[in-house]
Amino acid sequence: MTFPVVGMVGGGQLARMTHEAGIPLGIRFKLLSDTPQDSAAQVVSDVVIGDYRDLDTLRAFARGCDVITFDHEHVPTEHLRALEADGIPVRPGPDALQHAQDKGVMRARLAALGVPCPRHRIVTDPDDVAAFAAEGGSEDGGSGGFPVVLKTVRGGYDGKGVWVVRSVAEAAEPFRAGVPVLAEEKVDFVRELAANVVRSPHGQAVAYPVVESRQVDGVCDTVIAPAPDLDEELALKAEELALRIAKELDVVGHLAVELFETRDGRVLVNELAMRPHNSGHWTMDGAITSQFANHVRAVLDLPLGDPRPRARWTVMANVLGGDYPDMYSAYLHCMARDPQLKIHMYGKDVKPGRKVGHVNTYGDDLDDVLERARHAADYLKGTITE
């Protein structure tokens, strides 16, 4: 029997963990990576080193692949259309992926679908930002005036390409990149949530429990699954909203819908990601079928796996690089202290603030599960030593 070859563009940790999920199924992976040192390039046997922005490189890479999928959303849309024209299945396809590539396109489409979002529009210069701020609040939990959130429409992640500006004088920086800038009202929210769903080409879809995502300096720090004290009806609405977006945009694979929970008990869509996502890393140990395994199944149009949680609570804590590079020496303490702890490292050089791994803990007592996850992440980073 010939097993399919999944071509994955991008060599980061998401590709590494997606490859890991395909191993038990006998799925072969081919990787297009920037360098041999990239996270996934260290573990995938068939690696092509090249520039994903070059169409000839993409076409050569795609030969021998049964389907192309992604570790990131940065491949030029016109290149993906060219691959489709060559007869290569691309999942998610360019018509869907453009909504994760371009925040302006995403906001316009979601607004047309009646999806609740913060007040927003494309702005042209700092004076236009001031005009946007003066236009007033909305019914969606925002307020008029400054501060205003500015985002470059392409390329931002982990807080990059995002500014919270409090005056017209602060609004100049985003325009220096020379790309369109999206202005959004700064929503007065209770917390950030994420709804993760997976959809296959023939329309089967599954939804994971809605999670709480805690950010520090624009970077995901901790994810709690399911989101504690979330109204059951609101959780259902969030899941249904994510499933609806996946269907309307014809997403194939994993879709993460990042959400704001407003103080008056509603949810607003913040961002979309059409790939495995940090808010779904808890599923590796906390769900019957992980986001990575279901993404593999979806892009191959296999029946999707059960997304239900294995434990009452699962907590994911990101391990960020600090000033202590020897994380392996911390394993002795972390594993002895918590035999149930699950450590996932990405093979990256340790640099301050860089995501180099994550830990998952689970159990019936949320306070205990949270403490165990945070202790392990902080000990691995070196910010605590006992």
Side-chain angles (χ1 to χ4, degrees):
M1 179 180 291
T2 301
F3 283 76
V5 176
V6 173
M8 195 140 197
V9 179
Q13 65 261 25
L14 299 179
R16 182 185 179 110
M17 290 182 278
T18 305
H19 167 256
E20 178 185 355
I23 292 173
L25 301 177
I27 305 302
R28 294 185 293 158
F29 270 73
K30 185 177 179 182
L31 186 72
L32 180 60
S33 184
D34 291 338
T35 76
Q37 291 75 41
D38 286 349
S39 180
Q42 300 172 27
V43 296
V44 177
S45 60
D46 190 356
V47 180
V48 174
I49 305 302
D51 187 350
Y52 63 83
R53 294 163 294 191
D54 180 73
L55 179 56
D56 290 338
T57 298
L58 281 171
R59 280 181 159 146
F61 168 74
R63 295 189 192 106
C65 294
D66 293 284
V67 64
I68 299 294
T69 191
F70 311 96
D71 171 88
H72 57 71
E73 293 116 339
H74 305 316
V75 181
T77 308
E78 62 272 19
H79 291 1
L80 300 181
R81 297 194 191 284
L83 291 182
E84 285 192 326
D86 292 343
I88 304 296
V90 176
R91 295 172 178 165
D95 289 341
L97 196 62
Q98 64 179 335
H99 299 95
Q101 293 175 322
D102 190 306
K103 296 179 177 65
V105 172
M106 178 264 290
R107 283 287 183 237
R109 182 65 188 282
L110 294 185
L113 293 173
V115 172
C117 298
R119 183 175 66 89
H120 61 276
R121 70 172 170 85
I122 298 294
V123 288
T124 56
D125 54 37
D127 289 337
D128 200 16
V129 175
F132 172 83
E135 287 167 9
S138 74
E139 298 177 358
D140 294 329
S143 59
F146 287 100
V148 168
V149 179
L150 299 180
K151 302 177 179 179
T152 52
V153 296
R154 286 180 174 263
Y157 66 97
D158 284 350
K160 299 178 178 66
V162 179
W163 296 261
V164 178
V165 299
R166 292 168 175 79
S167 68
V168 67
E170 294 182 5
E173 178 64 26
F175 296 94
R176 290 175 184 146
V179 297
V181 174
L182 178 72
E184 296 180 351
E185 63 183 347
K186 190 173 186 302
V187 177
D188 183 20
F189 58 89
V190 176
R191 58 179 168 175
E192 294 188 54
L193 305 171
N196 290 280
V197 299
V198 183
R199 183 174 177 272
S200 69
H202 71 271
Q204 183 190 8
V206 296
Y208 291 93
V210 177
V211 300
E212 178 179 336
S213 178
R214 296 180 178 178
Q215 314 291 313
V216 176
D217 297 329
V219 178
C220 179
D221 179 78
T222 306
V223 171
I224 305 172
D229 301 318
L230 180 62
D231 178 79
E232 185 175 346
E233 183 176 346
L234 189 62
L236 182 60
K237 285 181 179 178
E239 290 180 13
E240 290 175 342
L241 181 64
L243 288 167
R244 180 182 165 224
I245 291 171
K247 180 180 179 180
E248 294 284 0
L249 302 188
D250 196 23
V251 176
V252 173
H254 185 272
L255 169 69
V257 180
E258 298 180 67
L259 302 159
F260 295 127
E261 181 184 359
T262 66
R263 297 192 182 278
D264 59 352
R266 294 172 297 115
V267 289
L268 303 178
V269 173
N270 180 24
E271 302 277 1
L272 301 180
M274 295 180 191
R275 50 173 169 74
H277 191 257
N278 206 165
S279 64
H281 287 358
W282 69 273
T283 63
M284 296 177 74
D285 304 297
I288 294 173
T289 310
S290 76
Q291 65 164 345
F292 300 102
N294 262 335
H295 184 76
V296 171
R297 292 187 185 203
V299 300
L300 293 172
D301 206 10
L302 294 170
L304 300 181
D306 193 332
R308 288 178 298 172
R310 294 178 180 271
R312 176 70 184 91
W313 300 104
T314 302
V315 171
M316 187 284 307
N318 274 323
V319 178
L320 301 181
D323 297 325
Y324 184 67
D326 184 15
M327 291 189 173
Y328 181 72
S329 65
Y331 281 11
L332 181 64
H333 169 86
C334 291
M335 292 177 177
R337 184 179 189 270
D338 187 356
Q340 290 187 327
L341 177 71
K342 302 296 184 181
I343 301 174
H344 301 272
M345 301 302 288
Y346 306 153
K348 291 182 171 183
D349 292 336
V350 177
K351 298 178 181 178
R354 186 186 199 187
K355 289 181 187 175
V356 294
H358 71 271
V359 298
N360 286 333
T361 57
Y362 49 87
D364 295 327
D365 184 317
L366 178 56
D367 290 338
D368 173 68
V369 175
L370 267 168
E371 189 279 331
R372 287 160 48 208
R374 285 266 39 100
H375 178 94
D378 289 342
Y379 197 95
L380 288 165
K381 183 180 179 181
T383 53
I384 60 174
T385 58
E386 60 181 9

